[in-house]
Amino acid sequence: MEYLKPFVIAEIGCNHKGDMDIAKRLIRTAAIYCEVDAVKFQKRCNRELLTPEQYNAPHPNPANSYGKTYGEHREFLEFTVEQHRELKEYCEEMNIVYSTSVWDLTSAKEIASLHPKFIKIPSACNNHYEMLEWLCDNYEGEIHISLGMTTHEEEEKLIQLFEKKGRNKDVVLYVCTSGYPVAFGDVCLLEITRVREMYENRVKRIGFSGHHLGIAVDIAAYTLGASVIERHYTLDRTWKGTDHAASLEPEGVRKLKRDLMATYEALHYKEKEILDVEAVQREKLKYRKH
């Protein structure tokens, strides 16, 4: 197996709490302290995405809500397309890749207008074929897609759509379990092997989007062939909101990038039977029969 250099994405999502200053702090910290490759936000048109009943219902966990209804909560956490433009420009200043997950057609069109390097399709929307087809026809960048809560039949239909559109080599496919957080037994790392065997030659890269605790699993995911690693990221896991508890703080993201790069450097065969570093030790320590 050829191991590609790991590409690490710190998913900010809505962990900015609707505050542009916090969003920029998250970008700056990810770029300078964590040294990851990209950050990712989310974009929703809530009136399009939610039914009136869903929009006007109370938040299922009122302690985490930023509004009287679920719709108001989601609106509070939304940035406008102009705010996203500002965040993208700030990412460019910080020399880090900007991206966003899009949950509906309106959001896909808005974010595509900013021409990011890649757009992410969350697991919840990987069967939104109208949106996927529009992106194939109108967006020139990479399309990253998570496979959480998706059947094998749905996976195949998804890839065939991109093949039909001639865009499959722009696809990065993520193994994912949709839960927050996910117990280790539900991470199911060997799905990476299955997805690689099925789709590695049909798409651009295989990735892993994790919602588990700690960073050990991500190293294993990389060694199994997932060269794009995405983790939720926050400045404080105790902050109000649904995703913070399943996120890494800056120190965790920094260690994740460090350990992935160390693993990348180590994953190869010996270039010769006795390495130079061993030669000195061999001369000094190797048993010699007297």
Side-chain angles (χ1 to χ4, degrees):
M1 184 195 308
E2 178 189 0
Y3 284 99
L4 301 175
K5 184 178 179 180
F7 187 86
V8 183
I9 304 167
E11 180 177 359
I12 295 169
C14 297
N15 284 349
H16 49 70
K17 304 196 292 183
D19 187 317
M20 284 288 284
D21 288 338
I22 292 176
K24 289 183 177 180
R25 281 177 59 199
L26 283 156
I27 292 169
R28 188 164 60 250
T29 304
I32 297 173
Y33 183 71
C34 304
E35 298 183 325
V36 296
D37 303 285
V39 293
K40 185 170 71 65
F41 293 91
Q42 294 182 10
K43 189 79 177 82
R44 292 172 168 91
C45 177
N46 294 299
R47 291 289 185 184
E48 179 178 334
L49 186 62
L50 301 172
T51 66
E53 292 76 17
Q54 290 172 324
Y55 193 97
N56 294 312
H59 191 288
N61 187 347
N64 283 324
S65 184
Y66 287 93
K68 293 180 181 178
T69 68
Y70 185 70
E72 288 181 10
H73 162 77
R74 291 254 52 104
E75 300 288 11
F76 184 90
L77 294 172
E78 276 303 313
F79 288 145
T80 66
V81 67
E82 287 307 316
Q83 287 175 308
H84 276 276
R85 187 186 307 277
E86 183 179 340
L87 293 172
K88 181 173 182 285
E89 290 172 355
Y90 190 68
C91 284
E92 290 164 357
E93 289 178 30
M94 292 290 104
N95 197 31
I96 192 170
V97 174
Y98 159 93
S99 185
T100 298
S101 292
V102 296
W103 289 67
D104 53 81
L105 184 56
T106 297
S107 297
K109 291 179 178 180
E110 289 179 338
I111 296 302
S113 73
L114 303 179
H115 306 288
K117 178 180 177 180
F118 69 93
I119 285 176
K120 179 79 183 294
I121 307 300
S123 298
C125 305
N126 65 19
N127 60 344
H128 191 329
Y129 302 118
E130 181 185 7
M131 178 173 68
L132 296 177
E133 290 187 5
W134 187 91
L135 286 168
C136 284
D137 294 338
N138 297 279
Y139 169 65
E140 69 283 359
E142 293 179 0
I143 301 173
H144 293 211
I145 308 174
S146 277
L147 295 177
M149 46 188 172
T150 303
T151 68
H152 295 182
E153 183 179 354
E154 289 168 337
E155 289 175 3
E156 181 60 32
K157 182 177 179 180
L158 179 66
I159 299 306
Q160 287 183 12
L161 182 154
F162 284 95
E163 289 174 332
K164 180 180 177 182
K165 291 286 187 177
R167 295 297 306 275
N168 52 297
K169 287 299 184 176
D170 295 320
V171 169
V172 176
L173 208 55
Y174 292 70
V175 170
C176 176
T177 298
S178 297
Y180 306 89
V182 172
F184 291 120
D186 291 328
V187 173
C188 304
L189 276 178
L190 292 183
E191 283 295 297
I192 295 170
T193 302
R194 181 188 67 80
V195 170
R196 282 187 55 239
E197 290 172 351
M198 289 292 296
Y199 302 115
E200 186 173 40
N201 295 325
R202 297 166 68 183
V203 300
K204 185 169 186 175
R205 290 175 82 163
I206 303 298
F208 173 68
S209 180
H211 304 138
H212 51 280
L213 301 178
I215 60 174
V217 166
D218 305 270
I219 308 305
Y222 176 69
T223 62
L224 287 168
S227 61
V228 181
I229 303 292
E230 174 188 81
R231 290 297 303 273
H232 282 260
Y233 156 63
T234 183
L235 295 177
D236 188 337
R237 294 180 67 247
T238 68
W239 273 352
K240 175 180 175 179
T242 307
D243 289 347
H244 296 287
S247 301
L248 294 174
E249 291 180 346
E251 189 63 29
V253 179
R254 178 183 171 90
K255 288 179 178 178
L256 171 63
K257 177 62 186 289
R258 176 201 68 191
D259 290 355
L260 282 166
M261 290 305 299
T263 304
Y264 169 64
E265 291 179 19
L267 275 171
H268 56 82
Y269 294 101
K270 284 186 174 183
E271 60 189 20
K272 52 187 178 180
E273 292 184 27
I274 306 296
L275 295 176
D276 292 345
V277 70
E278 293 180 300
V280 175
Q281 305 306 321
R282 179 182 174 90
E283 181 62 28
K284 181 171 64 174
L285 300 175
K286 196 76 170 181
Y287 173 75
R288 293 181 178 85
K289 187 176 181 180
H290 298 289

